[in-house]
Amino acid sequence: MDIWKEFHENVITHSGAHHLVAIFELANKRGYARVTDVAKFLNITTGSASTNLKSLKQKGYVDEDENRFLALSAEGQKLAEAILSR
């Protein structure tokens, strides 16, 4: 059984994990993900999704291209797969 880590030891927040998984699922299902798609997937506002995704982009887990399409970085992909495997 996994033991919960202290908050400062977590790589990302619980919310961040949901956002990574949303991008993972959307990209696999549709071939792309945008901020609005993530917001709808998670049933939150676009503003909330944008704020949370900004943090994930700064940490290097999510990339956004010039057309505003989101993709998981290699590290983000590994993290999303680890989250889904639990």
Side-chain angles (χ1 to χ4, degrees):
M1 176 185 281
D2 289 344
I3 298 173
W4 285 97
K5 294 180 181 180
E6 292 293 324
F7 182 76
H8 66 276
E9 293 177 359
N10 287 329
V11 177
I12 59 170
T13 63
H14 187 81
S15 177
H18 282 287
H19 284 68
L20 287 180
V21 170
I23 295 169
F24 181 88
E25 297 286 339
L26 288 164
N28 285 334
K29 182 178 179 182
R30 296 180 172 180
Y32 66 92
R34 298 168 298 173
V35 174
T36 55
D37 301 320
V38 172
K40 287 178 186 176
F41 186 90
L42 297 174
N43 197 30
I44 60 174
T45 66
T46 304
S48 292
S50 181
T51 300
N52 286 314
L53 289 167
K54 180 179 178 182
S55 172
L56 294 172
K57 286 186 254 181
Q58 290 173 341
K59 292 178 181 179
Y61 297 123
V62 176
D63 298 318
E64 185 174 12
D65 70 13
E66 65 278 354
N67 295 314
R68 304 185 59 93
F69 288 104
L70 303 169
L72 296 176
S73 66
E75 192 65 28
Q77 181 79 20
K78 284 182 7 185
L79 192 51
E81 289 172 354
I83 292 165
L84 287 168
S85 71
R86 291 185 186 194

